[in-house]
Amino acid sequence: MNIKVIAFDADDTLWVNEPYFRQTEERFCELLSDYLSRHDLERELLRIEIENLGLYGYGIKGFILSMIEAAMKITNDTLTIDVVKQIMDLGKQMLNQPIELLDGVEEVLEALKGKYRLVVATKGDLLDQERKLRKSGLNPYFHHIEIMSEKDDANYLKLLKHLDIQPSELLMVGNSLKSDILPVLNVGGYAVHVPYHITWAHEHIEDSIDNERFKSVESIKDILELL
């Protein structure tokens, strides 16, 4: 490998994120438990979230709007203002969550700093991701921050062009096979999968990955042994 740039996903790679969505989803199901089973409530919310990705993109704000829309459909438009307010309050609590770095993150960034250009390549709401990065205290480690509306081949190619590197000079580190790994392999880069114990259903893939430019490790600290 002739790696010049190491890109890190943010949510559930650098810091805790998905558990807050699942906790909020639980409370959403509790609010509407008189209407449907928890399984059906979760399924309806996921369906509406995915439908709305093209309108709202990824992130907490879109999740709040999708919860309100799902609640309206589930209650046949009889949703009370009080429940709407409670859903909005759940969203604000998510936005105000402290940033909890995952184990080994700062140790790895400190070890790689100065040896490679380090960047963040994430997706989601611009304001929210900027806020989380600022609160994380990790900004000084990174040469560049890229917040994408979607992590696909085209946007990774744009990132490569901006960084002025060849695909084979990029190593992407992330927890999502669908968003962090497959598109990077598709464009010719290297990728390391660091699994997280909770993954949003929309990020799951069925097929296994067989590619010489791909590795899977148990901990982010393990990438130091690969370089």
Side-chain angles (χ1 to χ4, degrees):
M1 293 190 298
N2 181 34
I3 302 299
K4 292 183 178 178
V5 174
I6 302 179
F8 292 86
D9 172 52
D11 295 333
D12 300 317
T13 298
L14 298 179
W15 52 66
V16 174
N17 179 66
E18 189 62 23
Y20 299 136
F21 280 84
R22 300 290 70 82
Q23 291 165 15
T24 302
E25 187 177 86
E26 287 180 16
R27 296 185 63 186
F28 171 84
C29 291
E30 289 170 4
L31 282 174
L32 298 170
S33 59
D34 290 341
Y35 294 89
L36 292 172
S37 69
R38 175 167 175 173
H39 173 75
D40 288 339
L41 288 167
E42 289 176 346
R43 185 173 59 181
E44 182 66 5
L45 177 57
L46 177 62
R47 183 186 68 79
I48 290 173
E49 279 185 85
I50 293 172
E51 280 184 0
N52 285 338
L53 285 176
L55 290 173
Y56 306 141
Y58 297 88
I60 294 172
K61 294 171 188 173
F63 184 53
I64 297 169
L65 291 170
S66 292
M67 282 194 292
I68 293 172
E69 181 179 341
M72 290 173 65
K73 290 188 176 181
I74 290 163
T75 63
N76 292 315
D77 293 332
T78 61
L79 190 65
T80 66
I81 293 297
D82 179 62
V83 174
V84 173
K85 183 179 181 303
Q86 289 185 66
I87 292 173
M88 292 181 68
D89 285 344
L90 290 176
K92 288 180 179 179
Q93 289 172 26
M94 292 178 70
L95 289 167
N96 288 315
Q97 284 284 355
I99 298 302
E100 180 184 348
L101 296 181
L102 292 173
D103 182 51
V105 164
E106 202 149 15
E107 174 187 337
V108 167
L109 295 177
E110 188 64 38
L112 298 175
K113 183 179 66 174
K115 299 177 182 177
Y116 303 89
R117 274 192 288 166
L118 306 181
V119 306
V120 172
T122 188
K123 65 182 179 184
D125 177 75
L126 177 63
L127 183 63
D128 189 33
Q129 294 297 69
E130 287 179 338
R131 175 191 59 81
K132 286 191 281 190
L133 189 61
R134 185 174 62 252
K135 290 174 71 174
S136 74
L138 298 178
N139 253 321
Y141 290 106
F142 295 110
H143 164 79
H144 174 70
I145 311 297
E146 187 78 12
I147 301 174
M148 308 174 189
S149 57
E150 185 64 81
K151 280 183 160 179
D152 55 19
D153 297 12
N155 279 321
Y156 279 109
L157 287 171
K158 288 179 184 177
L159 176 61
L160 289 167
K161 185 176 181 180
H162 177 83
L163 295 170
D164 193 25
I165 59 171
Q166 296 300 311
S168 61
E169 296 172 326
L170 173 70
L171 172 64
M172 179 70 195
V173 178
N175 71 293
S176 170
L177 292 170
K178 180 179 179 181
S179 295
D180 303 320
I181 306 303
L182 288 178
V184 173
L185 296 176
N186 288 342
V187 302
Y190 290 83
V192 175
H193 181 227
V194 185
Y196 190 63
H197 68 283
I198 302 175
T199 303
W200 186 31
H202 186 58
E203 294 292 331
H204 289 171
I205 64 168
E206 298 298 326
D207 299 330
S208 59
I209 298 175
D210 182 16
N211 189 303
E212 62 182 8
R213 289 178 279 106
F214 168 71
K215 297 289 184 184
S216 185
V217 297
E218 292 185 3
S219 164
I220 196 169
K221 289 183 282 190
D222 295 336
I223 69 171
L224 297 178
E225 299 177 10
L226 300 177
L227 297 166

